């Protein structure tokens, strides 16, 4: 199992109109060394036909959308599953944390292949279930904030490793929940 942070190459294609999707990325040098060592163990001295990566360590993983077996799990930075409608945010240049595994090729052919098990988008937040946030919520609107408040938001976001939009969305959701609770108390008193 290999877990590492990288970004997707320009050859990556995630398009809801297509029946196959393609992820293209480069393996970091440390992962590439481990993958070569694991490949030698898998093949036990036999030579495989082709490496699952090119000379630069680039991997192209293609899978069928209809196949449950080969399709990776997509999740946001908090490790929450992404709804299918948010896969449009996966594009070339996206910062991702990938989880891969190397397996033998099937059918008695010598060689190995790399499977992408999970794609974690490091700068995307899935909408919270049941909460006021939605795909059209604060994430898609610019807020005019005083400079001192904007600096405080940025400081907190960096300290807690949150994206600024996620921090703002969560702060606004908390304020909305408090306001709703306060309003429901006033209705009961009336």
């Amino acid at each position: 199992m290999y877990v590492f942070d990288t970004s997707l190459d320009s050859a990556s294609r995630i398009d809801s109109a297509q029946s196959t999707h393609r992820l293209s990325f480069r393996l970091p040098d440390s992962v590439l060394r481990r993958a070569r060592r694991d490949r030698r163990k898998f093949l036990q001295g036999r030579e495989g036909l082709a490496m699952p990566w090119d000379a630069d360590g680039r991997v192209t993983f293609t899978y069928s959308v209809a196949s449950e077996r080969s399709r990776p799990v997509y999740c946001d930075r908090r490790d929450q599953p992404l709804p299918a409608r948010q896969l449009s945010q996966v594009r070339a240049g996206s910062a991702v944390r990938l989880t891969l595994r190397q397996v033998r090729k099937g059918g008695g052919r010598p060689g190995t292949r790399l499977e992408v098990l999970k794609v974690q988008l490091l700068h995307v937040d899935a909408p919270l279930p049941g909460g006021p946030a939605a795909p059209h919520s604060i994430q898609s609107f610019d807020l005019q904030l005083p400079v001192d408040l904007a600096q405080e938001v940025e400081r907190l976001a960096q300290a807690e490793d949150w994206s600024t939009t996620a921090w703002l969305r969560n702060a606004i959701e908390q304020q909305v929940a408090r306001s709703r609770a306060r309003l429901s108390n006033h209705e009961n008193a009336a």
Side-chain angles (χ1 to χ4, degrees):
M1 195 81 66
Y2 315 106
V3 179
F4 57 92
D5 293 352
T6 189
S7 60
L8 297 177
D9 291 346
S10 59
S12 298
R13 297 283 181 262
I14 305 293
D15 184 1
S16 59
Q18 300 293 326
S19 61
T20 59
H21 291 173
R22 179 175 54 223
L23 298 171
S24 179
F25 52 90
R26 185 182 180 287
L27 294 174
D29 292 336
S30 59
V31 173
L32 190 56
R33 283 191 297 273
R34 280 185 46 216
R36 284 183 179 135
R37 190 173 49 242
D38 292 345
R39 180 177 162 81
R40 283 192 295 271
K41 287 179 187 176
F42 274 125
L43 297 178
Q44 299 173 352
R46 297 180 308 187
E47 278 301 311
L49 299 175
M51 301 285 242
W53 51 82
D54 69 9
D56 295 330
R58 296 213 184 286
V59 175
T60 301
F61 178 73
T62 305
Y63 64 94
S64 170
V65 176
S67 171
E68 291 288 327
R69 186 174 153 247
S70 63
R71 186 176 41 196
V73 173
Y74 286 89
C75 58
D76 71 354
R77 66 172 184 83
R78 296 174 301 197
D79 220 13
Q80 297 297 314
L82 279 176
R85 68 181 179 274
Q86 281 200 294
L87 290 185
S88 63
Q89 296 184 34
V90 181
R91 59 180 67 94
S94 295
V96 294
R97 178 171 293 137
L98 297 174
T99 303
L100 310 175
R101 73 176 173 179
Q102 188 169 189
V103 296
R104 287 188 183 96
K105 285 186 176 179
R109 295 175 294 172
T112 61
R113 61 187 169 85
L114 290 172
E115 291 181 347
V116 177
L117 303 175
K118 183 168 111 177
V119 179
Q120 184 176 7
L121 298 170
L122 299 177
H123 299 296
V124 173
D125 289 321
L128 298 172
H136 57 276
S137 71
I138 189 69
Q139 296 176 12
S140 60
F141 292 99
D142 293 330
L143 291 178
Q144 299 299 322
L145 296 175
V147 173
D148 59 336
L149 181 57
Q151 289 172 342
E152 181 66 11
V153 166
E154 185 177 14
R155 185 189 66 74
L156 286 170
Q158 289 173 350
E160 296 181 15
D161 193 29
W162 283 24
S163 69
T164 305
T165 55
W167 190 91
L168 283 171
R169 187 189 71 220
N170 289 339
I172 290 170
E173 286 174 353
Q174 289 174 358
Q175 183 65 32
V176 167
R178 281 191 291 248
S179 296
R180 283 183 179 167
R182 201 172 42 238
L183 287 174
S184 66
N185 289 341
H186 288 296
E187 290 173 2
N188 291 341

